Amino acid sequence: MYEKTYPSKRFNLTLQFLKKHVSTTETILDLGVPNPFSKIMVDNGYTVINTKGEDVDNDQTALQTENYSVFTAFEIFEHLLNPYTVLQNVKADKVLISIPLRLWFSPAYRSKTDMWDRHYHEFEDWQLDWLLEKAGYKIVDRLKFTHPVKKLGLRPLLRWITPRYYLVYAEKVK
C-alpha cells in the first residue's frame, strides 16, 4: 500500500489527534481492512476491530453488530457513494474521520486499475461538517494540514501551502 511513499506526517498527526480524544480503554471500529495505521493504533495500546472489506455502501452489518465505542474512518469516506448511510448505522457516540480535501489544482483521484481505489467524493471541509451534523454529530475538534511532496513544480509548491487533509473528532448529539 505504501511501498514508495509512507505518509509519516499524516500518520503522526492522526495519532496525536487520536490520543487527544480517545482513551486506550475504548474499543475502536476502524472502517476498512487492516492497514498500516490500524497497526500503529494497536502498537499504541488501542483495541482495534477492522471491517473485512465488505462494500459498506450496501452492507452495514459490521457497524450494527460489532462491539465498539469509537468509530474511525481515515481516508475512507471519499471512496463511498453514500457516507451518510454509513454514519446513520454507526453505534458509537465518538467518531474520528479524516479525508483528503478537494484541491482546486488537481482532478479527482481515479485509479485506472483498481475499482476500489477511486474517489467518488472530493470533499471540502464544510461538506464533511454538514454530513456529520446531518447524521446527528457535533464537531468537537478539527485539524487541517498540508502534505508536501519532494518534487519540483507548481503543484508540489501548492501542496506545501494548501491544506490537503481534514481530520475531525465529533460526538453524537443526545
Side-chain angles (χ1 to χ4, degrees), residues 106-118:
S106 188
Y109 176 72
R110 179 179 165 194
S111 170
K112 294 183 185 346
T113 57
D114 183 354
M115 197 174 118
W116 291 99
D117 193 18
R118 296 177 177 174

Side-chain angles (χ1 to χ4, degrees), residues 60-73:
Q60 297 90 33
T61 305
L63 302 172
Q64 299 162 348
T65 59
E66 292 289 351
N67 188 20
Y68 60 99
S69 57
V70 179
F71 171 80
T72 60

Side-chain angles (χ1 to χ4, degrees), residues 56-57 60 63 77 80-90 121 123 127-128 130-137 172:
V56 292
D57 279 319
Q60 297 90 33
L63 302 172
F77 271 31
L80 300 176
L81 299 179
N82 193 359
Y84 179 70
T85 300
V86 170
L87 281 172
Q88 285 182 309
N89 284 279
V90 168
H121 297 281
F123 284 97
Q127 291 170 304
L128 181 62
W130 187 24
L131 177 66
L132 285 162
E133 290 164 9
K134 188 167 176 101
Y137 289 89
K172 178 93 61 178

